[in-house]
Amino acid sequence: MTRTHLDQTLANSRVVVVAGSGGVGKTTLSAALAVRAAIGGRRVAVVTIDPAKRLADALGIAGQTAIGNEPVRIPLDDAHGELWALMLDTRSTFDALVDRYSPNADQAQRIRSNLFYKNISGALSGTQEYMAAEKLYDLNGDERFDLVIVDTPPTRQALDFLSAPARLRRFIDHPVYRIVIAPSSVGLRAVSAVSQPVLRAIAKVVGAQALDDALAFFRAFQGLDAGFRQRAHDVDRVLHEPSTAYIIVTSGQAEPVAEATYFVDALESANVAVSLVVANRLMPYFGGGDISLPAPLAGNLRELADERRAEESNLEVLRTARPDTPWIRVPLVPELVDERLDTFASLRLLGRALGDAD
Amino acid sequence: MDPKLFLSASRVFIVAGKGGVGKSTVAATLVTAARRVGLTSLLVETDGKPLLVGGAGDRGLTACTITPAEALAEYLDSSGLGRISRRLVTSGIVDVVASASPGIDHLLVLGKVKQLERGRAADVIVVDGPAAGHALTMLRTPRALADSVVVGPIKQQANDVLGMLNDETRCQVVLVTIPEPTPVNEAVETAFSLEENIGVRLAPVVVNRVDVHPPIDIPDVLAQDSAAVRAARFRNDRIAGHARCLDDLSRRLPLPRIQLPLDTHATLADRTDQLLGAIENLEGGAP
Ligand SMILES: Nc1ncnc2c1ncn2[C@@H]1O[C@H](COP(=O)(O)OP(=O)(O)OP(=O)(O)O)[C@@H](O)[C@H]1O
Ligand SMILES: [Mg+2]
């Protein structure tokens, strides 16, 4: 085999989803993977769902190029391919969908100005995940790119985006949804819908005003649901295609490893195989010292080796739970911790570490 | 200051911080420390995550988990909607409609914490909160709902929870971070946002995993590319990096600090000693 597992994943996938718990290096790795794949000749779009500006920082373009909802090209002089970056804007992605499926501008306007819509189309969990999947679908079909790398936010909801399309479909198909939208066809107002026991119960929880807004939204949404349902189906398909790879990132600390184990299990129960686990930021191996070393230096070698051993024993939990999942280990790169180097240089360092690590 | 005084200054401590900074460990340590000084204590997990390696159960801690779905079901029950509530929850429709009042799930979880607090479930209740960004969203929710919902049970609940959050004898937030630039930035931002927008009292910030080793002297005679020298440089870099971050933190965040050492072999009992020691070193009487 001439290619490492990582490079095969980058070469053969159309989508790579990077997930893991907070601060383990998802954004940095996504950027490094994108740079590596672009250098290797692919036309890559890296998209971050994380609203933080970390991707721009990681790519070293903060303050120069604004990353927004549309892909921007990042210059890379020695690349055979291309590097593009974008940041998910849930609201504008949702707006674009509404515009696309509304039969006319008037209906689109009615939906967009609805209070419920304004709430759910913001950064709410659930919607955000669905819009992420949506964006991914869009990019996947975009002729300009042959690889899309997705940097997910540090929460459980990173996985919700896998099930988001199915949830949306279930909702649209739900009998209660039918009840909710039914009255409008015969011209009744929200008040009468609220008299339904189910809706009365909901109103009691969320408040009548909120429910009214929601009902108005669902009415305005009518006619769009078929389009949305089909779309959700297509998005779902992309998420489960074999050309979509999932990379789970962890550090060697106990908490992220436990989270990573949870992620791997959850993906598996969603019928998705994890392509690769990246154990990032590990204490480097320095090698042994000879007996004539001054005590503080010898002691230090021992202590650092100890730290690495502790990390390995944490990682063992995941390894024994998932013996067949491929792994790579990436050492901690001090320049990256301190954000000392020019970031592009450090991404290359990390890219190299990734390449050597297999 | 006296650890017992410190730990009884508030009935609820919400521990917040990014994953991997040791938030859950700090939460468990606080619970054990409280017991050590003769207070009853309860650990509350909030996001239904699997009990971590050496989870609360294994360590003989009294613990409970609150998930939004359960809190919601319970809330519906208590509003006299028991029968219908299960159907609403399992059908997922509440999820969607609750989106109309964003944050209702967070409010319900905090409401449940408040209920434990009111019911004096323990002298000290330690909440292992969600990851930092999310903790902020969660803690902002009651204010937002209290301002935006006009009447009804949600308004009531939001006001009750706010009452708890704004009373430092009832609730304080313990921010946990590690001495690295990104986590420190995040901690500073979170701290200001919590104080300004929510008016919740911040307990001393916990800086976890601090390398407290003195710098290592590297003799010139050693081969500069030998393992020992490279390792010593690495270590010195880390020690200096941590010092810079601690410095940065104390300049930017006017809060007392509790430092816990990076210590791979420490058991929960060791960490409890370390925490109690750090509390004793804090200045002042009641926080
Ligand atoms: N291999 C590495 N060696 C050293 N530092 C690293 C490495 N990988 C990432 N980092 C550093 O760790 C910090 C967190 O990285 P990053 O922001 O990529 O994590 P994340 O998983 O995206 O975080 P979040 O969960 O907040 O989105 C950054 O300061 C980054 O530079
Ligand atoms: Mg990130």
Side-chain angles (χ1 to χ4, degrees):
Chain A
M1 208 166 42
T2 51
R3 271 185 144 158
T4 62
H5 187 84
L6 173 72
D7 283 325
Q8 278 179 30
T9 305
L10 291 179
N12 301 335
S13 308
R14 290 192 47 83
V15 175
V16 170
V17 179
V18 181
S21 78
V24 293
K26 294 176 295 297
T27 304
T28 316
L29 278 168
S30 300
L33 291 173
V35 170
R36 189 175 172 87
I39 289 177
R42 303 208 77 191
R43 294 171 306 150
V44 190
V46 52
V47 52
T48 184
I49 306 177
D50 196 341
K53 300 262 177 291
R54 280 279 315 149
L55 181 65
D57 288 344
L59 287 168
I61 55 166
Q64 301 159 34
T65 316
I67 299 185
N69 205 37
E70 291 306 315
V72 289
R73 175 98 186 256
I74 315 280
L76 258 189
D77 26 335
D78 56 348
H80 301 292
E82 293 172 10
L83 177 61
W84 298 73
L86 67 156
M87 191 159 94
L88 176 77
D89 176 343
T90 312
R91 183 65 191 273
S92 12
T93 307
F94 209 150
D95 285 351
L97 266 187
V98 167
D99 289 348
R100 161 186 253 138
Y101 288 111
S102 296
N104 53 56
D106 192 43
Q107 185 171 7
Q109 192 45 45
R110 224 169 337 120
I111 295 177
R112 274 151 159 266
S113 57
N114 176 278
L115 199 62
F116 175 79
Y117 174 74
K118 283 184 180 155
N119 279 337
I120 63 166
S121 60
L124 258 188
S125 64
T127 315
Q128 194 187 10
E129 279 66 49
Y130 180 67
M131 289 307 132
E134 179 61 40
K135 193 81 197 172
L136 195 159
Y137 176 77
D138 232 24
L139 292 169
N140 185 50
D142 194 320
E143 294 280 296
R144 286 174 293 175
F145 315 120
D146 37 41
L147 173 63
V148 181
I149 297 181
V150 190
D151 166 36
T152 63
T155 56
R156 291 288 166 80
Q157 280 121 38
L159 292 173
D160 284 358
F161 105 101
L162 257 184
S163 54
R167 260 186 292 134
L168 182 73
R169 241 179 328 156
R170 231 181 305 134
F171 175 69
I172 293 176
D173 292 336
H174 198 282
V176 176
Y177 174 71
R178 307 263 151 235
I179 302 177
V180 169
I181 59 166
S184 75
S185 48
V186 287
L188 293 180
R189 283 165 310 127
V191 198
S192 65
V194 176
S195 65
Q196 299 267 359
V198 169
L199 296 181
R200 259 208 317 275
I202 297 173
K204 202 153 173 187
V205 181
V206 303
Q209 184 57 49
L211 182 64
D212 278 351
D213 291 333
L215 293 179
F217 168 75
F218 290 125
R219 305 243 163 74
F221 193 72
Q222 266 194 97
L224 278 69
D225 47 352
F228 264 78
R229 187 186 299 115
Q230 178 58 39
R231 185 80 170 182
H233 179 82
D234 296 341
V235 171
D236 204 31
R237 211 191 52 235
V238 169
L239 290 175
H240 289 89
E241 245 156 40
S243 60
T244 299
Y246 292 81
I247 295 184
I248 302 294
V249 188
T250 180
S251 70
Q253 303 301 314
E255 282 181 63
V257 173
E259 280 282 291
T261 312
Y262 169 89
F263 272 102
V264 175
D265 287 345
L267 282 171
E268 226 158 64
S269 45
N271 285 321
V272 170
V274 172
S275 315
L276 190 65
V277 171
V278 180
N280 188 30
R281 304 191 50 148
L282 299 182
M283 174 59 68
Y285 280 128
F286 291 98
D290 62 69
I291 33 171
S292 62
L293 277 178
L297 280 96
N300 177 53
L301 264 181
R302 243 189 342 266
E303 284 171 27
L304 295 187
D306 249 19
E307 281 185 36
R308 174 62 182 248
R309 245 193 311 280
E311 291 174 343
E312 290 295 335
S313 98
N314 290 334
L315 291 168
E316 200 52 32
V317 176
L318 179 49
R319 201 174 181 68
T320 43
R322 288 284 167 268
D324 299 329
T325 309
W327 277 67
I328 56 177
R329 291 179 165 79
V330 178
L332 187 134
V333 179
E335 289 84 351
L336 281 176
V337 179
D338 287 351
E339 293 157 7
R340 251 182 294 164
L341 260 188
D342 130 47
T343 14
F344 238 73
S346 47
L347 274 191
R348 283 166 205 268
L349 269 182
L350 185 58
R352 256 215 314 281
L354 280 168
D356 298 341
D358 239 12
Chain B
M1 76 179 285
D2 173 27
K4 183 157 183 180
L5 210 62
F6 178 93
L7 288 160
S8 28
S10 169
R11 277 198 297 275
V12 176
F13 290 97
I14 298 179
V15 184
K18 215 171 175 145
V21 298
K23 184 170 58 74
S24 302
T25 314
V26 169
T29 312
L30 275 167
V31 167
T32 322
R35 267 219 309 228
R36 191 79 76 72
V37 297
L39 299 165
T40 58
S41 56
L42 172 69
L43 179 62
V44 178
E45 313 247 13
T46 51
D47 62 357
K49 62 189 152 215
L51 281 184
L52 298 171
V53 195
D58 304 353
R59 292 180 292 206
L61 304 176
T62 320
C64 70
T65 302
I66 304 176
T67 65
E70 283 162 22
L72 176 59
E74 198 174 301
Y75 175 80
L76 292 172
D77 274 344
S78 69
S79 327
L81 293 165
R83 196 173 49 79
I84 216 162
S85 71
R86 195 156 309 126
R87 223 175 89 212
L88 289 176
V89 174
T90 54
S91 70
I93 190 131
V94 165
D95 279 356
V96 182
V97 180
S99 308
S101 291
I104 199 161
D105 47 347
H106 285 151
L107 179 69
L108 292 168
V109 168
L110 287 172
K112 176 74 195 181
V113 170
K114 184 211 68 191
Q115 195 188 322
L116 291 169
E117 183 257 345
R118 288 276 89 157
R120 301 293 163 102
D123 297 332
V124 182
I125 298 170
V126 178
V127 181
D128 184 1
H134 256 91
L136 205 57
T137 319
M138 175 184 248
L139 292 168
R140 268 198 203 123
T141 305
R143 166 94 286 147
L145 288 176
D147 290 348
S148 67
V149 180
V150 190
V151 286
I154 292 294
K155 173 98 178 176
Q156 185 57 44
Q157 181 83 317
N159 278 332
D160 290 352
V161 169
L162 262 184
M164 174 180 79
L165 293 180
N166 293 342
D167 181 346
E168 63 183 74
T169 65
R170 294 174 65 193
C171 180
Q172 298 188 10
V173 172
V174 180
L175 279 177
V176 184
T177 186
I178 51 174
E180 286 181 15
T182 320
V184 163
N185 284 338
E186 211 174 81
V188 173
E189 282 161 24
T190 309
F192 278 103
S193 182
L194 283 175
E195 283 216 316
E196 280 160 23
N197 303 335
I198 300 151
V200 64
R201 168 77 178 211
L202 292 170
V205 55
V206 175
V207 187
N208 196 21
R209 301 176 49 86
V210 181
D211 193 343
V212 290
H213 202 282
I216 300 165
D217 184 41
I218 306 174
D220 290 339
V221 296
L222 294 178
Q224 295 300 298
D225 60 350
S226 64
V229 171
R230 280 184 297 114
R233 286 226 189 82
F234 179 94
R235 186 70 178 267
N236 285 345
D237 266 6
R238 183 168 77 183
I239 296 164
H242 285 191
R244 268 198 307 277
C245 284
L246 287 168
D247 226 44
D248 191 35
L249 186 65
S250 61
R251 254 184 314 105
R252 293 166 63 194
L253 197 62
L255 274 182
R257 228 165 48 202
I258 292 178
Q259 270 170 238
L260 297 175
L262 192 161
D263 181 347
T264 357
H265 299 295
T267 61
L268 185 57
D270 298 336
R271 292 193 201 286
T272 307
D273 291 337
Q274 291 160 356
L275 178 67
L276 289 170
I279 294 175
E280 266 161 23
N281 286 333
L282 283 173
E283 311 226 320

